[in-house]
Amino acid sequence: MLNKKLQYWGVSVSKALLLMGSTAVMSACVGKTTSSQSMSQSSVSSLSTSTTTSTSLSASSMGTVSSIASEASSMLGSSSLPEASSSTGFDPGAIDVISDDNYDGNIPLDQKVVGQAGAALQTAGNPFEDAYFYLSPDVKTMMDSSLDIIKAQGDDNLVNKIKYVQRQPSAVWMDSIATIGGDVAAGRRSLEQHLDAAVEQQRYYAAQNAGQAAPMTVVVIIYNLPDRDCAAFASNGQLIEVGKPADGAAQNGDGYERYRDDYIGEIAAIFSKKPEYANLRIVAMLEPDSFPNMITNTNEGANGEPANGTLNPTPASLPNGGYCDRILSHTGSGAAVAGEGTGDTPHLGLYAASLRLAIAEFAKIPNVYTYLDIGHAGWLGWDSDTDNVSNMKRGVKYFKQLVDGADGALDGLGLDMIRGFASNTSGYTPVEEPLISNAVADRAALQGFYQWNPAVDEVSYIDMLQKYFTTSDPAFGTASFDANKFGFIIDTARNGWGSDNRPELGSGTKGTDANKRIDVRAHRGHWCNVNNAGVGEVPKANPDVSRPYLDAFFWMKPPGESDGISFDHTKLSASEVAALDAIDRKVYESATDGVYAGKSLDTMCIPGQAREGVTVDVVPNMAPHAGAWFHKQFIMLINNAHPPLGQSDYD
């Protein structure tokens, strides 16, 4: 499983070794943190309410489809903002992270996303198109810690690479209730402060274009599902509704209620809190790993058939089932849906109930564009011409059922409640394998690494998904998405796989020699701090003209955040600790920090451990807890970048 926490680790050390971070994932006992926390940052004045896009979007005013459609239509087509001047509180110093004037790197910024001044601030299509992308100052702060280390080492070439990577946008992670309010001590903004900063960046760009505004896209990861990551060890999250099997048979937690009221409810309220936020395009990507777990990680698949590649079988010693099984079977707290649980419409459990709640709430806000996480090519890519219960077809079928079941009080929107799907979130699967065939006829010859899976890379994966999602067929869900109203995002933050002998796209014929693959993992299921990985394509909209349904490449996970801790700090001897260098010493010292409550050691993260029949190959350094800043991984990712920084294979 993937682990995508945005949690930094911060310890007071010399500037050269400063490792900034955020206390993102708190223990379940931590109380609700309000968004009233303040930090040193320029105040943002409200935009004029005379602007057509500055309609107040309170959730209470949007209970019907007609009101949603009316407000949405009023937002499309307008590109006006109040003039960016000192009278509006505009302060370039507050957003210097995105100002070209302060960039002193030597790699040209030709790949930088540039919004289209005068374009409609909202759209019925791709929310990344014609837009600038929000650059989080928090991520720059993390990367600054590594930049200081490399400057002290005198590596000017690497310094310039870091400066370039700092200019690339990435997502804002909301992975606990506490992160909504931010963490002042760790230098992490609240969600509201991120949106304020995005408004300032939008004003800044308007000032560069004679006051004419361009769309501004902000990507927010929604990641705090009750009983999160039921098939993983490194991160179970803070909200518990069902609980692990070892906790007993009782299923009476308050995870769903807290998710509804203290998490999704709070986020939705902030999205529509200020009139100027209506000028932003807010992309909400829902719950990495969640629903794919319900398709592949239960002893019994969602359709009643044994799940292929089951990772969490139900042992006899656990009569109530494994963790994922208990979540799938849970019918309380809104998880029961009329008509589900019989025939071809199975009950989809707690995860589906929680996701449906989020889908419906965000559908009420016209400038929120919702994408669902859909795993990656090596997870749901298996397909069969003759088998209708392949991972691919089962996935499509139950994702359709999931979205359609979120309609509820918004009856009439159906599958249009979401914009699309995000693949490879925090993952390592390449966008494209230059020399590996994805033909069904070649599966047998490639069975060693690809295990009969014809989705050999992310573009072949989304090609297959797009075909099935836009086709009406009882075998994988009769309802179909409108091909013009949904699309895909591919996370390219860590799937570059650069090396000296890496083949270029179009450099040869795609065949069946798996030795020519660029993905050098021992197994496609390996997800933790993978060794020899590299930064991939920088974020951009509409990256492939041959695939109009590919909305964007985007860095969902900021490169440099750890996937999980790699050692048991209780087993290191005094001599081993004494031998650690300064950076690893800080990793060791942070291992017992209380902010990591709920996280544990996963064997997928330990160098040399056997997992899924093969030995994992992880970054050969001490890795901190999931989401913490991992300097040595960050440097590895930059050194292995492909395409070379400043270039692209998809122009």
Side-chain angles (χ1 to χ4, degrees):
M1 298 304 93
L2 308 177
N3 290 284
K4 293 159 281 294
K5 277 51 59 191
L6 183 53
Q7 177 180 355
Y8 317 156
W9 57 283
V11 259
S12 178
V13 290
S14 66
K15 182 178 180 181
L17 295 177
L18 178 64
L19 298 171
M20 281 293 295
S22 148
T23 56
V25 177
M26 304 294 182
S27 65
C29 64
V30 174
K32 174 181 171 183
T33 303
T34 68
S35 58
S36 62
Q37 292 175 328
S38 62
M39 66 194 321
S40 179
Q41 132 178 16
S42 172
S43 62
V44 182
S45 62
S46 297
L47 301 184
S48 169
T49 55
S50 64
T51 306
T52 58
T53 55
S54 297
T55 307
S56 177
L57 300 177
S58 65
S60 62
S61 69
M62 291 180 286
T64 66
V65 173
S66 60
S67 65
I68 295 170
S70 174
E71 295 200 49
S73 64
S74 72
M75 296 170 71
L76 300 176
S78 174
S79 61
S80 59
L81 284 178
E83 181 179 356
S85 67
S86 58
S87 63
T88 65
F90 172 68
D91 178 8
I95 42 96
D96 60 354
V97 65
I98 56 91
S99 171
D100 288 344
D101 295 338
N102 70 359
Y103 177 67
D104 60 354
N106 65 3
I107 302 175
L109 293 173
D110 296 340
Q111 294 295 314
K112 181 180 178 179
V113 173
V114 177
Q116 179 62 48
L121 297 185
Q122 304 305 329
T123 178
N126 179 2
F128 295 89
E129 187 172 20
D130 296 328
Y132 289 101
F133 298 167
Y134 170 61
L135 291 173
S136 168
D138 293 357
V139 174
K140 181 180 182 296
T141 297
M142 291 191 295
M143 294 182 180
D144 275 342
S145 66
S146 289
L147 183 63
D148 288 343
I149 294 172
I150 301 305
K151 283 181 177 178
Q153 294 174 353
D155 190 336
D156 292 339
N157 181 52
L158 189 52
V159 164
N160 278 292
K161 289 180 178 180
I162 294 174
K163 289 179 178 179
Y164 179 83
V165 170
Q166 284 185 312
R167 309 292 299 195
Q168 309 310 320
S170 55
V172 175
W173 286 73
M174 294 287 107
D175 61 358
S176 71
I177 292 171
T179 53
I180 300 173
D183 188 310
V184 179
R188 175 164 181 158
R189 286 164 173 77
S190 68
L191 176 58
E192 183 175 349
Q193 289 166 333
H194 276 295
L195 296 181
D196 287 344
V199 168
E200 287 285 13
Q201 290 182 16
Q202 189 175 37
R203 287 177 173 160
Y204 168 80
Y205 288 124
Q208 311 308 305
N209 292 290
Q212 193 173 35
M216 167 63 68
T217 297
V218 185
V219 180
V220 181
I221 307 292
I222 309 300
Y223 184 48
N224 197 27
L225 204 70
D227 297 278
R228 186 180 71 194
D229 293 347
C230 62
F233 297 97
S235 59
N236 291 133
Q238 67 172 169
L239 303 181
I240 304 299
E241 177 75 19
V242 172
K244 298 178 182 179
D247 296 334
Q251 300 183 6
N252 56 1
D254 63 352
Y256 179 84
E257 179 180 347
R258 296 186 67 199
Y259 185 76
R260 180 192 64 206
D261 298 337
D262 299 339
Y263 184 69
I264 294 298
E266 287 290 315
I267 291 173
I270 291 171
F271 281 168
S272 54
K273 181 175 182 178
K274 298 179 181 179
E276 57 265 40
Y277 293 170
N279 295 307
L280 303 173
R281 295 179 181 177
I282 301 174
V283 169
M285 202 285 278
L286 301 188
E287 300 295 352
D289 290 359
S290 61
F291 206 60
N293 271 318
M294 295 298 90
I295 297 168
T296 62
N297 290 337
T298 50
N299 191 50
E300 184 174 72
N303 65 338
E305 298 291 333
N308 294 332
T310 296
L311 300 180
N312 190 28
T314 304
S317 60
L318 296 173
N320 296 301
Y323 200 1
C324 291
D325 296 273
R326 289 159 63 94
I327 292 167
L328 178 64
S329 63
H330 185 64
T331 57
S333 304
V337 175
E340 291 190 346
T342 60
D344 292 332
T345 310
H347 170 66
L348 297 180
L350 175 65
Y351 278 4
S354 304
L355 285 163
R356 284 167 169 165
L357 168 71
I359 291 169
E361 287 302 305
F362 295 148
K364 298 175 184 177
I365 310 174
N367 62 314
V368 173
Y369 305 80
T370 298
Y371 291 76
L372 297 179
D373 176 82
I374 199 161
H376 55 78
W379 193 343
L380 298 183
W382 278 273
D383 194 18
S384 170
D385 292 336
T386 60
D387 185 357
N388 286 331
V389 294
S390 65
N391 278 12
M392 171 67 69
K393 290 177 182 174
R394 289 165 58 223
V396 169
K397 179 175 182 177
Y398 297 113
F399 267 106
K400 287 182 179 180
Q401 181 182 330
L402 167 71
V403 179
D404 198 43
D407 207 48
L410 303 172
D411 188 38
L413 288 181
L415 299 180
D416 288 340
M417 297 181 75
I418 70 168
R419 168 60 196 175
F421 301 91
S423 76
N424 200 45
T425 304
S426 293
Y428 297 87
T429 308
V431 170
E432 188 169 354
E433 282 283 2
L435 300 180
I436 303 298
S437 170
N438 67 335
V440 173
D442 291 331
R443 285 186 295 174
L446 290 166
Q447 61 180 291
F449 180 70
Y450 294 100
Q451 298 180 321
W452 298 87
N453 184 345
V456 299
D457 48 34
E458 288 304 302
V459 291
S460 61
Y461 179 51
I462 68 167
D463 287 348
M464 295 162 63
L465 288 171
Q466 196 272 344
K467 178 184 70 174
Y468 286 141
F469 274 127
T470 56
T471 301
S472 295
D473 188 320
F476 43 88
T478 302
S480 61
F481 287 87
D482 185 332
N484 297 315
K485 293 184 178 180
F486 93 110
F488 295 90
I489 308 168
I490 297 176
D491 187 350
T492 55
R494 307 188 299 181
N495 68 350
W497 294 108
S499 64
D500 293 338
N501 60 351
R502 185 192 194 279
E504 301 293 333
L505 290 181
S507 62
T509 302
K510 293 195 173 188
T512 59
D513 186 353
N515 292 320
K516 295 182 179 180
R517 69 183 191 272
I518 59 172
D519 183 347
V520 299
R521 288 177 292 177
H523 189 280
R524 298 184 81 193
H526 287 186
W527 51 264
C528 192
N529 303 326
V530 175
N531 198 22
N532 297 312
V535 166
E537 290 279 348
V538 299
K540 64 184 69 175
N542 300 318
D544 187 345
V545 295
S546 69
R547 294 180 171 89
Y549 43 86
L550 179 51
D551 283 352
F553 293 148
F554 200 81
W555 288 2
M556 293 297 198
K557 183 177 178 85
E561 289 182 0
S562 174
D563 291 316
I565 196 167
S566 63
F567 64 99
D568 183 344
H569 72 280
T570 66
K571 295 183 178 179
L572 265 65
S573 66
S575 60
E576 288 174 320
V577 173
L580 297 176
D581 63 31
I583 295 174
D584 285 346
R585 177 69 65 87
K586 296 305 175 185
V587 172
Y588 167 77
E589 291 172 351
S590 72
T592 58
D593 194 313
V595 303
Y596 299 108
K599 294 178 181 289
S600 57
L601 182 64
D602 192 309
T603 55
M604 187 74 81
C605 306
I606 305 174
Q609 288 290 304
R611 186 72 175 268
E612 297 178 1
V614 294
T615 301
V616 300
D617 185 15
V618 302
V619 181
N621 298 104
M622 294 180 71
H625 278 289
W629 189 245
F630 190 2
H631 167 77
K632 294 180 180 180
Q633 181 197 52
F634 179 59
I635 299 306
M636 178 200 73
L637 291 170
I638 290 179
N639 285 331
N640 290 336
H642 188 92
L645 296 177
Q647 302 179 36
S648 175
D649 287 335
Y650 296 86
D651 290 319

